[in-house]
């Protein structure tokens, strides 16, 4: 795995409560059946140079030292 960018997690909502338009791509890649939840993300920021990182199956924090290394590469 690699880190390709970062974002802010605004909130988590039940799919029945989504009050904004979803793109065709979002609909094709997501599971929006009733009873499920969706993350609302803001400020997506791609990295100029992705870096290797062992991740997890959910949202996880990356150590500040790894971010510092990533920024030093640019």
């Amino acid at each position: 795995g690699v880190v390709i960018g970062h974002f802010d997690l605004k909130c988590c909502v039940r799919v029945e409560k989504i009050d904004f338009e979803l793109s065709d791509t979002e609909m094709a890649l997501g599971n929006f059946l009733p009873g499920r939840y969706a993350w609302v993300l803001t400020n997506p920021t791609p990295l100029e140079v992705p870096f290797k990182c062992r991740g997890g199956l959910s949202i996880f924090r990356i150590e500040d030292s790894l971010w510092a290394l990533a920024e030093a590469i640019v």
Side-chain angles (χ1 to χ4, degrees):
V2 297
V3 176
I4 61 170
H6 57 89
F7 57 84
D8 295 327
L9 175 60
K10 181 177 177 182
C11 63
C12 181
V13 297
R14 291 183 67 99
V15 295
E16 297 90 348
K17 302 281 186 181
I18 293 175
D19 62 353
F20 48 87
E21 189 80 21
L22 295 170
S23 71
D24 291 340
T25 301
E26 289 170 313
M27 291 300 295
L29 297 176
N31 181 344
F32 297 97
L33 293 174
R36 299 197 46 101
Y37 289 85
W39 292 332
V40 179
L41 311 176
T42 60
N43 302 319
T45 307
L47 294 176
E48 287 185 38
V49 180
F51 63 90
K52 289 185 179 191
C53 179
R54 186 175 179 149
L57 294 177
S58 188
I59 293 177
F60 59 93
R61 287 198 170 273
I62 295 175
E63 296 177 30
D64 289 340
S65 59
L66 287 176
W67 284 118
L69 286 172
E71 291 172 353
I73 293 171
V74 175

